[in-house]
Each structure stands twice: as C-alpha cells, then as structure tokens.
Amino acid sequence: MDCAEVTLFSCHQVLLALPLLLLLLSIPHCTPQVSGIRGDALEKSCLQQPLDCDDIYAQGYQADGVYLIYPLGPSVPVPVFCDMTTEGGKWTVFQKRFNGSVSFFRGWNDYKLGFGRADGEYWLGLQNLHLLTLKQKYELRVDLEDFENNTAYAKYIDFSISPNAISAEEDGYTLYVAGFEDGGAGDSLSYHSGQKFSTFDRDQDLVVQNCAALSSGAFWFRSCHFANLNGFYLGGSHLSYANGINWAQWKGFYYSLKRTEMKIRRA
C-alpha cells in the first residue's frame, strides 16, 4: 500500500467515524444539581433519564421526594415530586396544593409549561402531561383532605391528555378519564372528560361565560364544573359559589379543601 492509498484509507476511516463522533457530541452533559433533588437520584437519573416516577422506583429509589424526569427528552430535566408510599408508590404528582403559598389563578402559558416548585405547591404542565400519557398508559389518583383532617380519594384506571391529537395545544389538552374507583371522595371528574383545558385568557368551555374567570381557577371546564382543584385557596367553608378548591361530590361548592394531589402511575 503506497502513501496515497494510506491517506485515502485514513480519510475513509474518518468519514465512517463521523456519525459516531457527532452522536457522542450530541449527548447532553448531566444537569447541575437542583435544590431539593436527592444527589444520588440526580446522578442515576442523568445516566438513565427516567420518564416518570415508575422508572425512578425501578432504579431503587423508594422514598418520597423530588426527583428529575425527562418527558421532553434527554436534554430537558423536569423536577417532580414522587409519591413512593401511597398504595404501593410510583406516583408522579402533577398537581399539589396544601397551604395556599402559590397562586393558581394563572394564564394559559403557565398552565401549559408548569409553575411552582416540586418541593412545594406546583403544577407540572399540560405539555409534560401530554407527553407522559402519549408514551405510557396511566391511571390517575386524586387525593383530598379537608381542614378537619378527613381524607378521601378518587381513582380512574385510564387517564390521558389529547392522546390522538397532532397538536395537543391546538386540541386544547383535552382530558380523558374512565374507570372510576371510589375512595370516599365520589366522582367529580368524569363530568369533565372530553373537555378542553380553560384559563381566564383562553376560554374553551361549553358556555358563553368564562368558567375559569367565574370559578377563579383553571381546569377542564364544561358548564362549568364539579371539580375545581385549581381554584382559590379559601381555607374551608366559604360564602362565594364554586370558586374555591372544590370537589363537589365530597364537600360541595362552598368548601375549599386543605390539600389536593393529582398523581399518575403506569397502569
């Protein structure tokens, strides 16, 4: 083999190696630690990039807390609270309220992208929810608590957000729930199945009035609601109609709950 042939051979080898090199360069570095994330969970999540709390549980982390998931892909970590103890754990919490420290009376973009902190009150984001339910089949659990320390829950064996839509946002992040199981709370959510999500600045309900504005919240309103878990934190009984954190089948329209958690787990 002469010098020209060696040079040609080397160039050929470099060209063959380019795709691998570009792939290696495209792999994201581990995200710096976020406050509230368990260090060991962060390290492992950077390697395996879990989709949800089911994956994190499978990695051996079985304590309640904040972990990183990757519904948007390997370069976009999303902090989330994992409930690892309720009914066997593995729950990815997408809505959590317990003290009124975070305002939930917000516009469309906030509800689309998420707000708050996973170690406090927060909303995970409609786009994250859509991507999760697009990739896996989920059940939903809604945990409720009043100011007299009574608790109840409702479960739905099927939960998804715009599963068949080309554009979930254009579809309004439509809610689908089915298979209600009663944990004492009654069924206030099936009424909302098939409805688009509404905020005060994007009215997508079925009535002329803006249900999000009337109910001081944002939800999959119909005409208007039996559940308003993103309403005002009014601290128990209230005189105003249906604008607190209401779950009508349990406490009616004049009682704002102390604590709510909406969470999903693979079915």
Side-chain angles (χ1 to χ4, degrees):
M1 183 181 293
D2 60 25
C3 186
E5 288 176 323
V6 170
T7 303
L8 180 62
F9 179 77
S10 300
C11 290
H12 181 64
Q13 292 293 91
V14 169
L15 288 172
L16 286 175
L18 270 176
L20 177 60
L21 179 62
L22 291 172
L23 176 63
L24 290 172
L25 289 173
S26 69
I27 296 174
H29 295 290
C30 182
T31 305
Q33 184 167 343
V34 179
S35 177
I37 306 294
R38 286 162 50 98
D40 53 354
L42 175 68
E43 181 181 354
K44 181 167 270 192
S45 68
C46 286
L47 295 174
Q48 299 188 11
Q49 297 171 338
L51 175 67
D52 55 23
C53 295
D54 282 81
D55 283 344
I56 291 168
Y57 189 94
Q59 291 174 2
Y61 302 105
Q62 299 175 7
D64 292 351
V66 178
Y67 298 86
L68 294 177
I69 61 172
Y70 293 81
L72 290 164
S75 62
V76 188
V78 178
V80 70
F81 189 89
C82 294
D83 176 352
M84 300 300 202
T85 53
T86 301
E87 196 191 358
K90 307 178 187 178
W91 297 101
T92 302
V93 179
F94 68 85
Q95 188 258 26
K96 184 168 61 162
R97 308 188 71 181
F98 57 90
N99 62 7
S101 60
V102 172
S103 171
F104 276 65
F105 191 49
R106 294 171 179 255
W108 180 259
N109 284 337
D110 282 353
Y111 272 96
K112 174 186 174 181
L113 301 175
F115 56 86
R117 288 173 53 105
D119 59 354
E121 295 192 326
Y122 78 104
W123 173 264
L124 184 61
L126 291 165
Q127 184 64 16
N128 286 326
L129 269 180
H130 164 67
L131 291 173
L132 285 170
T133 61
L134 197 62
K135 296 171 183 176
Q136 295 289 339
K137 182 178 174 61
Y138 287 95
E139 61 179 335
L140 167 71
R141 179 178 169 120
V142 183
D143 278 315
L144 310 172
E145 183 179 344
D146 66 17
F147 283 88
E148 291 70 49
N149 299 318
N150 300 305
T151 59
Y153 70 88
K155 273 185 67 177
Y156 301 84
I157 62 174
D158 190 11
F159 169 85
S160 60
I161 302 295
S162 290
N164 301 314
I166 296 174
S167 168
E169 184 170 14
E170 288 182 11
D171 188 54
Y173 295 110
T174 299
L175 170 71
Y176 293 96
V177 292
F180 168 67
E181 296 179 5
D182 196 3
D187 181 10
S188 290
L189 195 58
S190 292
Y191 171 79
H192 297 264
S193 187
Q195 292 309 123
K196 298 180 179 183
F197 199 87
S198 286
T199 57
F200 62 75
D201 59 347
R202 187 167 298 193
D203 184 4
Q204 304 190 106
D205 55 54
L206 300 184
V207 295
V208 175
Q209 299 93 335
N210 186 327
C211 287
L214 290 173
S215 305
S216 306
F219 210 66
W220 295 276
F221 291 117
R222 193 177 181 90
S223 306
C224 284
H225 72 77
F226 284 104
N228 189 37
L229 299 185
N230 296 322
F232 281 164
Y233 197 91
L234 297 178
S237 298
H238 53 91
L239 296 176
S240 52
Y241 175 70
N243 69 333
I245 305 174
N246 307 131
W247 188 268
Q249 297 298 329
W250 191 39
K251 293 290 178 177
F253 293 108
Y254 295 94
Y255 190 98
S256 183
L257 298 167
K258 176 183 180 181
R259 182 181 66 86
T260 70
E261 287 186 4
M262 304 181 75
K263 59 191 78 170
I264 56 175
R265 178 174 68 183
R266 292 187 199 177

